[in-house]
Amino acid sequence: MARITSIRGRLLYNSRGNKTIEIDVISDHKCLGRVCAPSGASVGKHEATSFPENKPEKSLEILRQNEKKFVGLDPSNLKLIHENLRTIDSTTNYSKIGGSVAFALTIASIDSASKSLEVPIFKLLSTDSNLRFPFPLGNILGGGAHAGPGTPDIQEILVCAIGSKTIRDSIEVNFAVHKELGKILAKRDPGFTNGRGDEGGWAPKLKNDEALEVCARACEQLGFTLGKEVSLGVDFASSTQWNEKKNKYVYERAGFENSLEEQIEFVSSIIKEYKLAYAEDAVHEEAFDEMSILTKKFPNVLITGDDLLVTNKEILKRAEKIKACNATILKVNQAGSLYDALEFAKEATKNNIKIITSHRSGESVDSHISHIGIATKSKMLKVGIVGGERIAKLNELLRISEYDLIRGMVEI
Ligand code: 2PG
Ligand code: MG
């Protein structure tokens, strides 16, 4: 059995150029596990706090003071590492040490164990003998909190190659749609600068409906039928539009407002018109009842909670009671530790809530989430489309395909 021999944290920067932390966990003096923490732009109210007082330096200082608590532990024993972490910070949202430490320390431990035992991370996290690939869900057009003024209010229009039989084909189809969309946008607007949002999706000056229309056209021009070879998805990130005082969704860029009922109509018509397979945060983060209306109305669409559930097991239990969603985003850093996130995944699976493991908009070039997506039997892996930090996760899926342990794609 391996033993953790040292831990070291450092201040680095994420894909937005913002400060973040990276943690090294070294086992047996030689096996290095290394993880850099990501961060979101559209952050749920109840997510784990990234850093105490928003200061990564403070997280690093607390880690340094407590380093010894982890030395000597088995790096593959996630529960023990999590429990030791909880002796330092027992707050529900990791406000004392920062969720970024919980994230990086637990995943770096598993990374280190993987090196020491020479077993891939997905195998360490799951004993299931029937693992498959999740479908990559790629952001082809960005707006909202991920892109500048003039772009759609809707945060992300995504593509998923639901007809693909292999991981390579599913990745290539996503790229093809993204490229085709780029050509359409350039033709439509000679002033289009090829500008992209935070996750690699194009960021054109378009209204919501125009943006959806060009994405559908890109798929069709490649000979695909929506709902057959490929499907579109949308992350509405509705909390961004929600105005509590007005009790309305304010679509500032498009220039309209929706009441709670109108929002359901708005989302429903988009789901129907574009045959969406996937609709994330279609209502704001506390609108559980409205989410359950949509879940009932669209049993064959992944009605997915992100800000709504924030990878929090207790909130998920509340959602389950009223069948608020049939799918959930899993972002480890929303929960805090990898142990927390895996407990959340167990609860979701037990209740037949489909899992979509996801990146954050502010990322690193790490690719551990590709393993986490496989081990949690996620239906989809939401990792953006192009840009080094997005491609890193897709490339890792291709490396993993060299293991004979995984047979084909999940059923969707
Ligand atoms: C989301 C994510 C990732 P952020 O809303 O689903 O696409 O964005 O990391 O900004 O929360
Ligand atoms: Mg989201």
Side-chain angles (χ1 to χ4, degrees):
M1 186 178 36
R3 295 275 171 213
I4 295 176
T5 44
S6 65
I7 287 175
R8 171 196 279 247
R10 64 179 66 81
L11 196 63
L12 292 183
Y13 301 90
N14 68 17
S15 58
R16 283 205 192 86
N18 293 336
K19 279 183 185 171
T20 187
I21 59 159
E22 181 174 77
I23 297 180
D24 290 354
V25 172
I26 298 176
S27 301
D28 301 337
H29 301 284
K30 58 179 190 293
C31 300
L32 170 67
R34 174 172 283 175
V35 171
C36 187
S39 70
S42 59
V43 175
K45 243 189 222 171
H46 306 291
E47 285 191 25
T49 309
S50 290
F51 303 108
E53 297 159 37
N54 245 332
K55 290 190 184 120
E57 295 85 351
K58 190 131 202 230
S59 281
L60 291 174
E61 193 190 313
I62 301 173
L63 179 68
R64 214 171 299 124
Q65 287 160 0
N66 290 280
E67 204 187 293
K68 295 263 166 333
K69 289 207 168 111
F70 301 95
V71 171
L73 300 186
D74 169 5
S76 70
N77 191 339
L78 210 48
K79 188 161 188 258
L80 189 61
I81 289 158
H82 169 84
E83 282 167 358
N84 273 32
L85 187 66
R86 279 328 212 161
T87 65
I88 308 167
D89 185 346
S90 59
T91 61
T92 50
N93 61 351
Y94 292 94
S95 56
K96 200 169 160 200
I97 194 166
S100 293
V101 171
F103 174 95
L105 182 67
T106 50
I107 303 178
S109 295
I110 285 296
D111 191 18
S112 174
S114 154
K115 306 260 166 61
S116 155
L117 301 166
E118 296 183 359
V119 173
I121 292 174
F122 71 85
K123 265 309 256 182
L124 278 183
L125 297 180
S126 172
T127 51
D128 199 310
S129 57
N130 192 24
L131 292 175
R132 310 273 164 122
F133 282 108
F135 283 89
L137 181 63
N139 180 347
I140 51 172
L141 197 150
H146 290 179
T151 59
D153 300 270
I154 286 176
Q155 184 175 284
E156 300 165 34
I157 302 177
L158 306 127
V159 69
C160 185
I162 56 163
S164 289
K165 299 277 181 279
T166 66
I167 188 64
R168 188 175 295 275
D169 188 63
S170 65
I171 291 170
E172 286 185 357
V173 168
N174 283 6
F175 290 155
V177 174
H178 182 250
K179 287 198 176 94
E180 188 67 19
L181 178 59
K183 286 185 207 155
I184 293 174
L185 294 171
K187 212 164 167 190
R188 204 173 186 279
D189 173 10
F192 181 56
T193 62
N194 280 356
R196 297 201 249 116
D198 287 343
E199 300 174 349
W202 304 112
K205 273 197 174 179
L206 291 180
K207 300 267 170 65
N208 301 310
D209 48 351
E210 296 167 328
L212 284 156
E213 199 268 319
V214 287
C215 290
R217 190 147 28 104
C219 297
E220 284 155 7
Q221 277 185 196
L222 290 168
F224 299 137
T225 304
L226 288 180
K228 202 172 163 212
E229 296 89 358
V230 298
S231 277
L232 292 178
V234 172
D235 181 358
F236 291 88
S238 298
S239 298
T240 315
Q241 280 84 45
W242 178 243
N243 183 315
E244 210 172 327
K245 270 197 207 124
K246 286 190 169 178
N247 209 32
K248 283 191 167 187
Y249 294 87
V250 180
Y251 287 80
E252 240 168 47
R253 297 176 187 175
F256 67 90
E257 295 183 0
N258 278 344
S259 66
L260 283 167
E261 296 74 30
E262 285 164 345
Q263 177 73 1
I264 291 177
E265 272 319 299
F266 171 71
V267 168
S268 300
S269 67
I270 291 175
I271 292 177
K272 283 187 211 146
E273 184 161 358
Y274 297 98
K275 300 189 177 66
L276 300 192
Y278 180 86
E280 181 182 332
D281 282 350
V283 288
H284 72 83
E285 62 197 316
E286 266 144 350
F288 282 74
D289 292 338
E290 284 74 16
M291 273 294 271
S292 63
I293 294 173
L294 287 166
T295 303
K296 197 160 177 202
K297 203 165 167 184
F298 297 104
N300 299 320
V301 178
L302 293 171
I303 303 293
T304 306
D306 172 17
D307 292 349
L308 185 92
L309 302 171
V310 290
T311 319
N312 180 308
K313 194 171 152 186
E314 297 315 311
I315 301 179
L316 177 62
K317 282 184 184 166
R318 188 177 142 209
E320 279 159 2
K321 275 197 194 121
I322 60 159
K323 294 194 166 43
C325 52
N326 57 30
T328 179
I329 282 284
L330 181 143
K331 290 171 175 163
V332 177
N333 80 326
Q334 281 183 332
S337 77
L338 179 56
Y339 179 79
D340 291 315
L342 295 182
E343 288 295 299
F344 173 89
K346 269 191 222 158
E347 175 69 23
T349 304
K350 200 170 79 191
N351 289 280
N352 200 24
I353 308 256
K354 312 285 186 299
I355 298 171
I356 296 94
T357 294
S358 169
H359 64 165
R360 299 309 304 248
S361 52
E363 265 293 336
S364 75
V365 293
D366 289 348
S367 54
H368 307 93
I369 70 162
S370 304
H371 291 258
I372 295 167
I374 291 169
T376 54
K377 299 197 122 185
S378 295
K379 293 286 170 198
M380 293 176 179
L381 186 72
K382 191 183 177 203
V383 287
I385 193 97
V386 292
E389 74 282 6
R390 314 293 155 188
I391 294 281
K393 281 83 172 155
L394 296 168
N395 281 344
E396 184 67 4
L397 291 174
L398 294 171
R399 288 187 201 103
I400 295 172
S401 71
E402 291 169 12
Y403 290 99
D404 284 338
L405 300 161
I406 299 188
R407 280 164 217 97
M409 310 295 293
V410 291
E411 268 170 45
I412 208 147

